[in-house]
Amino acid sequence: MYLVYADEQGRVYDHPEAYAVGRNGEMLTEILEEELIPLPEGATLVSLPDTVPVGMDPDTGEMMRLDGFTAVGALLPQGFTRLLLPGYVKTDKQKKFPLFGYTAVVWKDGAFWTAARQSDDPYQWNPLNFPMEELKSRVEQTLSMFPENRILRHLSHCALEYECLTASNNFFHRWEGSLPVSYTCNAGCYGCISEQPEDSGFPSPQTRMNFKPTEDELVEVMLHHLKTPESIISFGQGCEGEPSTMAGIIVPAIRRVRQKTDMGLININTNAGLTDHIKGIVDAGLDLMRVSIISAIDEHYNAYYRPRGYTLENVARSAEYAASKGVYTSINYLCFPGVFDREEEIEAMINFIRRTGIRLIQLRNLNIDPESYLEMIPKAQGEVFGMKQAIEIYQQELPDVVIGSFTHVPPKELLRRKNM
């Protein structure tokens, strides 16, 4: 398992002697065979700016710097969970990485391998299923059908420019499609991908929607997409703020749609902080709810989400209410090696899941500058198990909870609308 590194021109090399190491939080650590999988199809190798790669001397076991070169990491496709960060040290601690999830990569048996696990079936999120020429044609066709719908115009930009697969599904007319609705948010997430303060040090990779859609526009998009039992339409996208802030138009839109069709599923991706708004959306006919969360510990949660006018307790109450009404609930769990796997984090999250009736854990790699994130959250209080063992603990402690990466169509018996 040899060190992978890059030169100033971005050319990638494998070291003939030095072993690769990874980082679990701040700690450099040996990479174990059981933590490696072949580099998945669709993964990308990237050099980490302003870094020096670190490897291990095979004779002494000591860490060694490779000055004059740059560390390399892998960006994983959806459905794969990172187990370790790349091994590196920064040459300029003031510089911040772009908002991606960097994963340790090694050279082994004549090929690239990465410290990760497959958490879900990536088929529906494989870019090869989204050929650009066909997408362009479908975008033109859809926009000609709905020339006044601003949401679809906005989604056409997301699909063609950002290559957002969820937005693209609206035009391929399948699987989980986007329904962005909100340009405002009740949180100031440190790693927000659509809105960052000018002095944050890293630009947002996406542009947030800048208009308030109408109820009619929502209904139009929903009815256009919800044509099969497997169709999912989802409020709460990366290009918007918190969707529940727009409950005033979401609630009547859902009711109108459900008066016309019982086909497909209506989902909301939400921070779930506005409990009264969530209750209204649930009562209108919501099928699925995915709650974005990074920790079930108040201090950690608040440091990252910077909530405005709500608390983690509000989040728990929203999830409890949705589950009590038969909504299939999941968490969008933002994972970071060295934090996700802390003893106190695991204990708190297991208690949260048991209390709220969450049925699915969607493991998502946290896209963040590691140093910035580690500086802002509490230090570890107990044992740090490693990502692989932490996931195994969840499997043991929550045997009835599914661990994956995506929103899925649940079994009919778990849905409140069982006549689908």
Side-chain angles (χ1 to χ4, degrees):
M1 297 182 289
Y2 293 100
L3 173 64
V4 175
Y5 61 99
D7 63 19
E8 292 182 355
Q9 287 72 44
R11 292 174 295 209
V12 176
Y13 305 90
D14 60 286
H15 199 283
E17 296 178 355
Y19 291 163
V21 298
R23 277 183 54 183
N24 198 42
E26 297 176 330
M27 184 178 65
L28 289 165
T29 182
E30 182 181 359
I31 301 175
L32 304 178
E33 291 267 2
E34 61 192 36
E35 294 174 312
L36 291 172
I37 60 171
L39 190 69
E41 181 182 23
T44 305
L45 295 184
V46 294
S47 58
L48 278 59
D50 304 297
T51 64
V52 171
V54 177
M56 180 186 292
D57 186 308
D59 297 322
T60 66
E62 294 181 355
M63 300 297 171
M64 52 181 285
R65 294 166 53 116
L66 203 61
D67 290 303
F69 295 94
T70 304
V72 170
L75 305 183
L76 301 175
Q78 296 191 59
F80 291 85
T81 300
R82 168 181 60 187
L83 300 183
L84 287 170
L85 301 163
Y88 69 88
V89 291
K90 280 191 175 181
T91 56
D92 186 345
K93 294 184 178 180
Q94 301 305 311
K95 297 288 184 65
K96 298 179 180 179
F97 294 163
L99 294 174
F100 296 109
Y102 305 93
T103 306
V105 62
V106 310
W107 183 257
K108 174 179 178 288
D109 300 331
F112 292 111
W113 294 60
T114 188
R117 73 186 291 271
Q118 183 173 334
S119 297
D120 218 320
D121 181 355
Y123 175 77
Q124 291 187 0
W125 304 100
N126 188 329
L128 295 178
N129 293 323
F130 298 80
M132 184 54 68
E133 288 306 312
E134 183 180 354
L135 175 60
K136 290 177 180 177
S137 174
R138 287 176 173 271
V139 166
E140 291 177 5
Q141 183 181 47
T142 304
L143 294 184
S144 68
M145 293 171 59
F146 305 101
E148 304 300 321
N149 194 297
R150 294 171 298 165
I151 299 174
L152 289 169
R153 281 207 306 273
H154 173 79
L155 290 175
S156 70
H157 177 76
C158 298
L160 296 174
E161 298 300 322
Y162 301 135
E163 300 185 16
C164 172
L165 304 186
T166 318
S168 298
N169 280 334
N170 289 71
F171 303 102
F172 280 103
H173 215 51
R174 66 187 179 191
W175 305 334
E176 182 182 358
S178 303
L179 188 46
V181 64
S182 175
Y183 56 88
T184 63
C185 196
N186 60 332
C189 301
Y190 188 79
C192 181
I193 63 173
S194 68
E195 187 172 88
Q196 287 288 334
E198 291 185 4
D199 62 351
S200 68
F202 36 73
S204 298
Q206 298 179 5
T207 301
R208 181 173 293 185
M209 68 186 304
N210 59 3
F211 63 94
K212 179 181 178 181
T214 66
E215 181 185 319
D216 287 344
E217 286 174 311
L218 297 186
V219 171
E220 203 166 55
V221 175
M222 294 166 81
L223 290 176
H224 177 65
H225 193 70
L226 296 175
K227 298 293 188 182
T228 71
E230 293 77 28
S231 300
I232 301 173
I233 196 73
S234 289
F235 299 101
Q237 303 301 315
C239 59
E240 67 173 306
E242 167 52 38
S244 67
T245 61
M246 295 296 172
I249 56 173
I250 290 177
V251 168
I254 292 177
R255 287 178 175 152
R256 284 173 56 185
V257 167
R258 284 305 177 217
Q259 287 171 357
K260 294 186 177 183
T261 181
D262 64 355
M263 197 64 73
L265 298 168
I266 300 172
N267 174 56
I268 188 169
N269 303 315
T270 174
N271 62 39
L274 300 175
T275 303
D276 289 342
H277 290 202
I278 293 296
K279 287 181 177 180
I281 294 168
V282 166
D283 294 344
L286 191 70
D287 299 296
L288 313 173
M289 185 170 84
R290 186 182 75 176
V291 177
S292 181
I293 197 165
I294 201 166
S295 174
I297 297 172
D298 287 276
E299 186 182 0
H300 181 184
Y301 181 94
N302 293 339
Y304 179 81
Y305 282 98
R306 297 183 287 195
R308 302 161 183 158
Y310 77 91
T311 66
L312 185 56
E313 177 61 22
N314 294 118
V315 177
R317 291 177 182 176
S318 297
E320 279 184 302
Y321 183 82
S324 74
K325 296 297 182 179
V327 174
Y328 187 87
T329 55
S330 63
I331 54 170
N332 182 55
Y333 196 173
L334 303 177
C335 303
F336 188 90
V339 179
F340 170 91
D341 49 333
R342 293 176 180 178
E343 182 179 7
E344 65 272 17
E345 293 284 349
I346 296 171
E347 182 178 345
M349 188 58 72
I350 287 174
N351 289 336
F352 178 92
I353 291 169
R354 285 173 173 161
R355 170 187 169 181
T356 56
I358 295 294
R359 294 184 176 274
L360 166 64
I361 301 172
Q362 297 185 40
L363 300 175
R364 293 296 183 95
N365 300 316
L366 177 62
N367 297 332
I368 199 87
D369 175 71
E371 281 69 30
S372 300
Y373 176 57
L374 291 168
E375 285 175 4
M376 65 183 285
I377 64 170
K379 301 297 182 184
Q381 301 299 310
E383 186 174 353
V384 181
F385 293 98
M387 291 288 294
K388 184 176 183 296
Q389 185 176 351
I391 294 170
E392 291 170 353
I393 291 171
Y394 277 104
Q395 292 171 326
Q396 294 165 2
E397 295 293 323
L398 302 168
D400 296 327
V401 176
V402 178
I403 297 180
S405 289
F406 311 129
T407 297
H408 294 286
V409 177
K412 288 184 178 180
E413 62 270 17
L414 298 181
L415 289 166
R416 62 177 177 180
R417 295 188 301 110
K418 297 182 176 62
N419 60 339
M420 284 177 46

